[in-house]
Amino acid sequence: MLMELHEKKQCTPPAKRAKRCFKATKADYPELCGFISDFVSGYTSDRKTLNDIEISVDEIFSNIQYYSSADESKPTDICLELSCSDGVLSLVFADNGVPFNPLEKAKPSLAENRKNKVIGGFGIFMVRNLMDEVSYQYDNKNILSIKKKL
């Protein structure tokens, strides 16, 4: 969804910012992707960068959607703040779900997953490898920040 972007521009001060909230549902995912695409299209059209962002957003959204709510009938709210400054794109995901720091998860083992026939566990590992910076904090909500140099 993020691939439909055009010419590259550099992030120059003053930094552009955008913020919007969504429900962590399959129905809201395309809208979230469109919001990101509209923002990012002003800064890059580099395929590798766009792929890295798209994969990371998909993993983060999926984790919030499937694991953040103690009550499955009530979807978690996600507020996403985007900014670009000094050639660095920042995406900050804030959700009101169950407190959880995904960066505390141990590095997954492909051999162990195969041996025990476990599916998954590589999402945050991929995000950490695709993004230039990943951080987490809890301040009455989960706040996961990712940054990518453009």
Side-chain angles (χ1 to χ4, degrees), residues 40-139:
V40 174
S41 68
Y43 299 107
T44 188
S45 59
D46 177 69
R47 287 276 187 216
K48 182 183 179 329
T49 300
L50 296 172
N51 284 336
D52 291 353
I53 294 166
E54 187 168 1
I55 291 166
S56 297
V57 167
D58 186 68
E59 289 299 330
I60 292 166
F61 185 88
S62 295
N63 282 345
I64 294 169
Q65 180 183 7
Y66 292 112
Y67 303 115
S68 69
S69 181
D71 180 357
E72 291 182 20
S73 66
K74 184 179 177 195
T76 300
D77 294 316
I78 301 173
C79 288
L80 177 59
E81 185 173 340
L82 308 172
S83 63
C84 193
S85 180
D86 299 324
V88 177
L89 176 69
S90 297
L91 296 89
V92 179
F93 296 81
D95 72 74
N96 64 343
V98 176
F100 176 69
N101 182 351
L103 304 181
E104 291 178 346
K105 295 282 285 178
K107 183 179 174 183
S109 165
L110 187 57
E112 277 298 310
N113 279 29
R114 264 196 227 143
K115 178 181 170 187
N116 297 319
K117 298 182 181 177
V118 175
I119 297 174
F122 287 87
I124 291 299
F125 174 76
M126 285 192 311
V127 171
R128 290 178 104 160
N129 283 286
L130 295 173
M131 295 291 106
D132 296 306
E133 187 178 322
V134 181
S135 63
Y136 172 87
Q137 68 182 48
Y138 187 82
D139 186 11

